[in-house]
Amino acid sequence: MDVQQIISMLKPLVENLVEGEYQLIQLTGRSGPYTSEELKELVEEYGGKLTIPPDEDYKNINIIEVEEESEYFIEYELWVDGEKSDLTLSCTIRFTEDEVRIMIENIHVL
């Protein structure tokens, strides 16, 4: 498992969420089972404003190997109003011979 590669997939997704680029997330196949409107609702229901976390916070990713180093389940606590929150981004990262894909599984309070 290459943690840096996982971070390189997670970081742009978090940045897109912070910028409210839900349609871009959906168009690039990273929204999982959600539409762009549903992603927006999940974030807005929590309240506050998503903010960019400091780079060193990406060391706090919860990474669970799903099967033989080809798939990982990731949980990352998003930052709201400049502070770490309990609003958690859950996603799956799949490594194949051709590509690496990240997809949102849920955005929820842990």
Side-chain angles (χ1 to χ4, degrees):
M1 170 185 60
D2 183 356
V3 174
Q4 284 306 114
Q5 192 171 16
I6 289 173
I7 291 171
S8 74
M9 297 295 294
L10 178 64
K11 196 172 177 179
L13 179 57
V14 170
E15 290 169 357
N16 290 152
L17 287 169
V18 169
E19 296 298 321
E21 296 173 331
Y22 307 112
Q23 282 193 316
L24 176 62
I25 293 169
Q26 184 178 357
L27 289 171
T28 54
R30 298 175 293 159
S31 63
Y34 301 102
T35 65
S36 59
E37 277 301 312
E38 290 169 329
L39 287 176
K40 182 178 180 180
E41 287 174 21
L42 288 170
V43 171
E44 288 180 353
E45 282 177 3
Y46 185 81
K49 170 131 178 62
L50 287 183
T51 50
I52 298 286
D55 281 341
E56 63 269 8
D57 191 65
Y58 285 99
K59 296 175 189 167
N60 299 318
I61 303 170
N62 183 19
I63 302 171
I64 301 163
E65 186 175 344
V66 176
E67 56 184 56
E68 300 176 15
E69 295 188 39
S70 62
E71 184 173 313
Y72 297 89
F73 184 73
I74 311 297
E75 290 189 323
Y76 180 70
E77 294 170 339
L78 297 168
W79 284 57
V80 176
D81 297 329
E83 297 181 358
K84 186 178 223 88
S85 73
D86 57 356
L87 183 63
T88 303
L89 171 64
S90 298
C91 51
T92 301
I93 296 182
R94 289 188 184 99
F95 293 85
T96 66
E97 287 182 21
D98 301 329
E99 64 183 349
V100 179
R101 294 198 47 108
I102 186 168
M103 278 196 298
I104 294 174
E105 298 293 335
N106 202 353
I107 297 175
H108 55 102
V109 175
L110 263 187

